Amino acid sequence: QVQLVESGGGSVQAGGSLRLSCAASGRTLSTYTMAWFRQAPGKEREFVVALSWRGGVTRYADSVKGRFTISRDNAKNTVYLQMNSLKPEDTAVYYCAGDYYGDVYRNEGYPYWGQGTQVTVSS
């Protein structure tokens, strides 16, 4: 079983950048498809981006394409989410999730989740 811990959230003005980290322990992330989700107040949790366990496939929500980038550092057993050109509508709690040899094209069914990190973007 893998444990996931997010960090890097904070408050930023519109147009700014943040980098979120998701550090794993217990298992190596190289065998996990990893994803980021977010949940804004009063809204359902939504998919943001996924990275296949092989590392060759990424899939982004249309709302973040061209602004957000997911990456993985296997040596540090950490996944990152670089967020640029942030907008107020990006304000949410961001969660990383993992699925052992998971299907990168599936948004549901991730069994492992972090506790979330708050991102607030002011206009």
Side-chain angles (χ1 to χ4, degrees):
Q1 183 168 333
V2 65
Q3 291 80 43
L4 304 173
V5 178
E6 302 97 334
S7 61
S11 297
V12 64
Q13 289 192 328
S17 298
L18 283 173
R19 189 178 78 157
L20 306 183
S21 299
C22 175
S25 60
R27 292 283 179 91
T28 175
L29 282 187
S30 62
T31 55
Y32 284 75
T33 287
M34 297 299 297
W36 288 92
F37 292 78
R38 65 187 182 186
Q39 187 167 19
K43 295 187 177 181
E44 293 188 353
R45 186 173 62 196
E46 66 172 355
F47 168 81
V48 176
V49 59
L51 173 64
S52 65
W53 62 270
R54 283 194 177 99
V57 178
T58 55
R59 190 167 61 87
Y60 292 87
D62 288 342
S63 59
V64 306
K65 275 182 184 176
R67 301 188 298 122
F68 290 12
T69 303
I70 189 172
S71 62
R72 182 204 309 260
D73 186 334
N74 287 337
K76 295 183 178 179
N77 221 28
T78 300
V79 172
Y80 302 98
L81 181 63
Q82 178 67 44
M83 305 186 295
N84 299 328
S85 302
L86 283 161
K87 305 175 181 179
E89 51 264 43
D90 294 318
T91 295
V93 177
Y94 284 71
Y95 299 89
C96 71
D99 190 9
Y100 187 63
Y101 290 119
D103 181 354
V104 71
Y105 295 103
R106 186 173 58 138
N107 286 358
E108 298 81 24
Y110 282 83
Y112 304 109
W113 292 82
Q115 82 289 350
T117 185
Q118 176 71 46
V119 171
T120 302
V121 185
S122 57
S123 57

